[in-house]
Amino acid sequence: MGELALTVLTARAAEGFLWAVDDLAVVGTPAAATALVDLLWADGRAATRAAWRLAELIRNPDVEEQLRRASPAVTDVEAEAWMWQPFTRRKDDPLLLIGGRIGRLLRDSDVDAIPPDTSVIDPRLAIPVALDAVRGQKFSDDRAMKEVKERIPRASRTNDYSVRVYLKGVFATAATESEPDDQVAALLDSLSRGCGLSSVQLRLLGLLSWPARAAVYGEVLSQSGNTTSSLVRNDDWLTVFEPRRGTRHLWSMTSGVLGFTGLVSAFAGLYGSFLLLTRGWELMPTWVGYVNVCSVAFIAAVVLYIYKESINESFGLLFALGGLVTTTSLVITGVAFWWERLSWPGIAGVVGVNALAVLSWFLAHRRDRVNDNPFRRCLEADASRLDDRTSVIAS
């Protein structure tokens, strides 16, 4: 009977009647889903409601397969193609545009446009939509931070960094439970207010499974500090199925080469400073030698003091800053010292080796980002629900 009513329901839905859109979703067949797709390309309430209903129906493998054979009415519509890209089979897969259009409409929805009876949508859409929605939010409300600190052990609230480390661990543990306990629920409330989440953002987060939602709070919102924009990058969603690859050898090469070069340059800088003071080297002003030697003497005295006495955090920060300035000055002096004494082939060799080390750093950083990022954490957290046959991995 539902299939027989498709013609009437499709016509009424095209006229903007939301009840007709809802009834098409109730029919729930692949043909009904195709009729809902035809509503996506116009702007308006019917398009948004159709997007929400399709986000529910696409969990059905038969519906998904039918949509892969659909022919979108338009191709120049606003869409977020990256949201469905990890699940496409080919570049001309219609679902790339359909899924991207659904994601765009979901993300831009007003809270009143979200169907009140919607409690679950496909996690392949829920995860990117939710994370994209909280991009740019920051946990900076002092009152909320105070509330959070009051809810955690005293040893874990010495500073904001320790608070964030504690929260990350709490949510990682809570993600293994079926639902949040009272303490975690209170932390969720404080974090949501501290990040200034709107009712729409809270609704989108509520559509995630609890393990995935815990990952968002533990990996993104509680760690945001000034902003979450650096934590949430859309490009990470495109790599969620890339295999994890080790980076230890790359980091070892980077730290070894750059560390050795810096150490040799620093000692050369110290030697060059003594030559400046004795007039044995005149490439740089004499005062540079005085600054370097006096700075090294000061750092050595501070190190000796630290060895015998404890220091407070402010003094330690000042010492670290002084050490960084001294080391930088010595390295610059050392580079100038070697530049004058090495032949051009030698300089080219040193520059080439260090360029490879820098390239190794970029590659290691990129692999680390692929191996561990908020999108991947949410994806794996959702897939950990072994009782959910529509998990992302099953899809």
Side-chain angles (χ1 to χ4, degrees):
M1 186 67 180
E3 290 285 356
L4 296 177
L6 276 182
T7 303
V8 176
L9 291 176
T10 300
R12 293 294 179 269
E15 295 172 3
F17 291 100
L18 299 186
W19 60 264
V21 179
D22 294 337
D23 285 351
L24 283 172
V26 171
V27 174
T29 62
T34 301
L36 288 173
V37 168
D38 293 336
L39 302 174
L40 293 176
W41 317 118
D43 294 325
R45 297 166 59 205
T48 300
R49 182 62 67 95
W52 280 102
R53 294 312 185 186
L54 283 168
E56 298 174 289
L57 293 177
I58 203 170
R59 293 179 297 153
N60 182 337
D62 294 333
V63 169
E64 179 180 345
E65 193 59 36
Q66 175 67 23
L67 297 187
R68 291 190 186 278
R69 297 193 293 267
S71 299
V74 296
T75 57
D76 58 348
V77 70
E78 292 183 347
E80 302 292 337
W82 64 271
M83 289 187 179
W84 197 263
Q85 190 167 332
F87 312 102
T88 55
R89 298 177 182 175
R90 59 186 191 277
K91 292 183 178 180
D92 60 344
D93 190 339
L95 263 180
L96 187 63
L97 179 61
I98 294 172
R101 178 60 175 170
I102 294 173
R104 176 63 177 261
L105 292 171
L106 264 57
R107 189 199 63 188
D108 294 344
S109 295
D110 295 328
V111 68
D112 295 335
I114 303 176
D117 60 334
T118 296
S119 59
V120 178
I121 63 175
D122 195 302
R124 293 172 294 179
L125 287 168
I127 291 172
V129 167
L131 281 173
D132 195 44
V134 301
R135 179 194 312 279
Q137 300 299 127
K138 57 183 180 180
F139 182 33
S140 59
D141 186 270
D142 293 337
R143 185 170 59 180
M145 175 62 83
K146 184 179 179 180
E147 288 182 16
V148 170
K149 288 183 177 180
E150 290 175 350
R151 300 180 187 280
I152 66 178
R154 183 179 299 274
S156 300
R157 49 178 165 167
T158 54
N159 53 55
D160 289 355
Y161 175 76
S162 63
V163 170
R164 299 184 198 283
V165 171
Y166 176 81
L167 291 175
K168 188 172 184 177
V170 165
F171 284 111
T173 302
T176 62
E177 305 295 334
S178 58
E179 59 183 17
D181 57 26
D182 292 340
Q183 180 190 10
V184 174
L187 289 174
L188 287 173
D189 181 64
S190 296
L191 278 171
S192 298
R193 286 187 288 105
C195 293
L197 297 183
S198 66
S199 56
V200 175
Q201 291 169 323
L202 290 172
R203 186 78 167 87
L204 293 175
L205 289 173
L207 294 173
L208 296 173
S209 65
W210 164 242
R213 186 153 46 103
V216 174
Y217 277 90
E219 299 292 330
V220 179
L221 295 178
S222 66
Q223 309 299 311
S224 58
N226 294 323
T227 179
T228 61
S229 58
S230 61
L231 299 175
V232 180
R233 302 176 185 173
N234 293 350
D235 289 343
D236 292 335
W237 184 238
L238 309 182
T239 66
V240 290
F241 291 130
E242 287 189 16
R244 284 188 169 94
R245 291 183 288 179
T247 58
R248 180 178 298 180
H249 62 291
L250 295 173
W251 286 119
S252 297
M253 175 185 174
T254 300
S255 58
V257 172
L258 296 182
F260 179 77
T261 301
L263 186 63
V264 170
S265 297
F267 276 108
L270 183 60
Y271 177 67
S273 298
F274 282 113
L275 291 180
L276 288 173
L277 297 179
T278 60
R279 305 294 183 179
W281 186 38
E282 298 181 353
L283 182 64
M284 304 180 75
T286 305
W287 63 265
V288 174
Y290 282 111
V291 170
N292 287 341
V293 172
C294 291
S295 298
V296 170
F298 171 75
I299 296 297
V302 172
V303 170
L304 182 62
Y305 175 79
I306 295 175
Y307 180 74
K308 294 184 176 181
E309 304 285 344
S310 60
I311 62 172
N312 58 42
E313 184 176 347
S314 298
F315 187 81
L317 181 61
L318 183 61
F319 166 68
L321 181 60
L324 178 62
V325 172
T326 300
T327 303
T328 302
S329 178
L330 287 174
V331 169
I332 293 175
T333 306
V335 169
F337 181 82
W338 287 118
W339 184 271
E340 189 179 49
R341 283 162 174 75
L342 287 178
S343 62
W344 281 109
I347 293 174
V350 172
V351 171
V353 170
N354 281 272
L356 288 176
V358 172
L359 180 62
S360 175
W361 180 88
F362 279 108
L363 182 58
H365 185 267
R366 196 264 178 187
R367 285 189 181 180
D368 280 344
R369 187 78 194 185
V370 170
N371 292 341
D372 188 15
N373 60 73
F375 285 104
R376 192 161 196 148
R377 287 291 183 97
C378 290
L379 189 75
E380 293 175 344
D382 185 85
S384 67
R385 297 177 301 138
L386 299 180
D387 58 333
D388 186 356
R389 291 180 296 174
T390 61
S391 68
V392 176
I393 299 300
S395 298

